[in-house]
Amino acid sequence: MEAMMTGMINNIFFIIFPIILYQMFATAGQRNFFVSHRITMTILFSISIILCMVFPYQFLTEDYIFDLRQVPMIVGALYGGPVVSAVLFVVSAVGRISIGGDGMYIAILNQLIVAAGVPFLAPLYRKINRWWKAVLVFSISIVSLLFNMFAGYFIFGDPIHDLIGIWLMLILNQGAIGILAALLIEHLQRQEYLYNSLMRHEKMETVSHFAAAVSHELRNPLQSVKGFVQLLQEVEYPRARQLEFQQTILEEIKAAEDLIDDYLIYAKPAYGEMKRIEVAPELSHVVKVMSPYANARNVELMVNSGEGVSPILGDPQKFHQALVNIIRNGVEAMPDGGKLKIELETSGSSICVHIEDEGLGMTKEQVNRLGEPYFSNKSKGTGLGLMVTFSIVNQMDGEINVESELGKGTKFTLEFPKISK
Ligand code: ADP
Ligand code: MG
């Protein structure tokens, strides 16, 4: 009895493990993971079947070996359809033949019937609710074992009466575990479905939030541009005054552009093409672009990109944007000027870009909030810059690390996986 319990628990584990394993690894799943990942599921269920047979748990008579291999077969056929069912049949038939014995023929015939018949029930199975699914799985399991029992009786004259108690127990047992497996799959699929719709909802929320915020924030510069242009039309101002207005108009347009840049990069749904990026030349390019901005604020950009190749994978334009946003913050953090160090470090499997300023610094709480939409401590900040940067770096499989001390400065470290040639 004890050996049987151990064997049974082993068998249950063999059946549950691929399902759980699957859930752990399939992060970006679709609604019915069994359909979208047939091959993986077939392989995992085959392993279940083999393990169940290698560690069986009840010997009815010398020739009868009992294990729960029918559970993956039935569940696999119901969720996976005829092809999965056929493969699982071949696996279990080969396994059963290698075990041998008189019971072999009945077992294989039984498995053939299960493998051929159950897929016909799959369309029905898909339509019914969970409780009817449980009933169906249980019934298939019972029919299949009853077949085994009667075939044994009629073909080999196995004494049913002596063993009826054990048979009943096995039937209940297999049925219950079949239900357990089916309910577990249903549960996981439901979780996955909920998770996906939550993600979708979240995305929509962010986008609509943004749309509202951006149109709101664009309205200000547009209004003032409109106001100044109207003034210029209505009154003949002296030349100096006109230039002053035009300068303001240009600044407002620039502000609008900045906002659109920050926003569009994030909102663009399709991530741009992933290309090989050489970090060192990209850094010098970014620094060249940012120099006028930094110089105007008395900030010296110091670059040390080392030597050697440093390829990573990403969309160059977005990578660019990610760096610009951090550098811009660094410059803005030093209102009285200072040095901004940009360093490239190539190690074994990763590439790090360090961007270090000697500016205002941040408290721990502020560091923790970086990347949050609209988190800004500046009177004219959008609080979108770092959110965009985080999202870009994330998409490139990179990581951002921030060390900061109030009054001393801040060091951003971007780490990306290196790609091989
Ligand atoms: P914004 O620059 O529009 O405020 P960001 O998302 O770029 O928005 O930055 C969010 C906030 O993070 C900033 O307002 C600032 O308070 C803080 N921050 C970012 N980088 C630095 C830095 N290098 N030094 C100090 N504070 C920083
Ligand atoms: Mg910024």
Side-chain angles (χ1 to χ4, degrees):
M1 196 60 198
E2 211 179 284
M4 182 184 153
M5 280 307 282
T6 325
M8 187 180 94
I9 290 166
N10 275 346
N11 271 227
I12 296 175
F13 173 72
F14 299 146
I15 293 165
I16 307 290
F17 108 94
I19 305 175
I20 306 262
L21 201 68
Y22 188 84
Q23 169 81 359
M24 276 159 53
F25 290 108
T27 40
Q30 279 80 19
R31 178 166 184 182
N32 183 346
F33 65 71
F34 215 114
V35 166
S36 35
H37 300 272
R38 271 211 176 87
I39 297 177
T40 324
M41 286 315 287
T42 311
I43 294 171
L44 289 173
F45 270 36
S46 299
I47 296 175
S48 288
I49 291 177
I50 294 167
L51 287 174
C52 282
M53 290 166 86
V54 172
F55 303 97
Y57 75 86
Q58 175 73 28
F59 296 86
L60 276 183
T61 71
E62 304 246 299
D63 295 326
Y64 275 75
I65 301 159
F66 192 79
D67 59 58
L68 291 174
R69 92 191 76 129
Q70 288 197 357
V71 175
M73 288 189 66
I74 295 170
V75 172
L78 285 174
Y79 283 93
V83 179
V84 174
S85 184
V87 175
L88 295 180
F89 168 70
V90 171
V91 171
S92 66
V94 170
R96 189 63 190 83
I97 289 170
S98 66
I99 293 171
D102 276 347
M104 181 172 97
Y105 302 103
I106 296 178
I108 290 180
L109 180 63
N110 178 24
Q111 284 163 17
L112 184 62
I113 294 172
V114 168
V118 175
F120 285 106
L121 296 171
L124 169 71
Y125 184 81
R126 244 170 267 135
K127 278 189 223 124
I128 55 188
N129 73 23
R130 281 198 286 173
W131 306 113
W132 284 112
K133 280 179 175 160
V135 171
L136 188 60
V137 169
F138 193 72
S139 317
I140 295 171
S141 175
I142 289 182
V143 169
S144 157
L145 282 186
L146 284 178
F147 170 89
N148 256 1
M149 189 173 89
F150 287 111
Y153 175 69
F154 288 117
I155 301 173
F156 295 103
D158 284 339
I160 290 182
H161 332 282
D162 301 352
L163 297 169
I164 194 76
I166 295 179
W167 265 114
L168 267 180
M169 199 162 79
L170 292 179
I171 287 173
L172 282 179
N173 190 278
Q174 174 172 304
I177 290 156
I179 290 178
L180 189 72
L183 289 184
L184 183 63
I185 292 180
E186 287 299 311
H187 174 72
L188 294 182
Q189 287 187 352
R190 196 170 159 69
Q191 292 285 318
E192 197 151 282
Y193 174 71
L194 288 178
Y195 176 77
N196 285 342
S197 47
L198 190 71
M199 292 297 279
R200 234 186 338 259
H201 179 79
E202 201 103 298
K203 249 182 231 158
M204 297 265 285
E205 189 92 312
T206 324
V207 169
S208 60
H209 201 148
F210 269 133
V214 166
S215 57
H216 176 80
E217 281 175 62
L218 275 181
R219 204 150 282 154
N220 290 336
L222 286 182
Q223 283 294 348
S224 75
V225 167
K226 198 164 139 194
F228 281 113
V229 171
Q230 279 167 348
L231 276 181
L232 287 171
Q233 279 178 337
E234 283 160 15
V235 189
E236 190 67 40
Y237 286 104
R239 181 76 187 136
R241 203 65 201 279
Q242 283 185 14
L243 283 177
E244 196 185 302
F245 284 179
Q246 282 163 8
Q247 187 54 36
T248 319
I249 290 174
L250 281 180
E251 274 165 25
E252 294 294 343
I253 291 176
K254 176 80 178 59
E257 269 176 356
D258 280 357
L259 190 79
I260 290 173
D261 282 349
D262 271 0
Y263 169 65
L264 279 189
I265 291 262
Y266 184 81
K268 210 170 161 193
Y271 187 49
E273 205 186 337
M274 295 290 257
K275 279 196 224 149
R276 186 192 159 93
I277 305 177
E278 278 297 338
V279 180
E282 205 66 34
L283 272 186
S284 2
H285 180 68
V286 172
V287 167
K288 207 163 28 176
V289 173
M290 292 302 290
S291 283
Y293 181 76
N295 286 339
R297 285 162 185 76
N298 266 328
V299 172
E300 192 187 344
L301 297 183
M302 301 168 66
V303 199
N304 177 7
S305 41
E307 62 250 12
V309 285
S310 46
I312 59 173
L313 208 59
D315 175 333
Q317 218 144 13
K318 292 190 173 181
F319 178 58
H320 203 131
Q321 176 85 29
L323 292 174
V324 166
N325 289 354
I326 295 179
I327 294 174
R328 189 145 55 140
N329 284 341
V331 173
E332 282 165 359
M334 297 186 282
D336 305 323
K339 289 193 180 86
L340 187 85
K341 280 191 255 172
I342 303 168
E343 226 169 312
L344 179 62
E345 185 196 344
T346 337
S347 67
S349 59
S350 62
I351 288 178
C352 291
V353 181
H354 306 281
I355 300 171
E356 189 172 3
D357 66 60
E358 35 185 43
L360 304 170
M362 284 170 279
T363 63
K364 271 220 163 60
E365 288 72 32
Q366 286 174 330
V367 170
N368 282 337
R369 292 191 58 188
L370 291 180
E372 212 174 90
Y374 313 116
F375 169 67
S376 175
N377 298 307
K378 299 168 192 164
S379 54
K380 283 209 159 169
T382 60
L384 294 178
L386 285 185
M387 185 205 68
V388 168
T389 297
F390 273 72
S391 131
I392 293 172
V393 172
N394 221 350
Q395 285 169 321
M396 293 171 67
D397 276 338
E399 268 177 45
I400 299 186
N401 189 23
V402 185
E403 294 163 51
S404 187
E405 202 173 323
L406 215 54
K408 286 252 174 79
T410 307
K411 183 176 178 180
F412 275 79
T413 299
L414 310 187
E415 186 175 354
F416 299 100
K418 201 175 185 173
I419 51 168
S420 50
K421 297 167 193 173

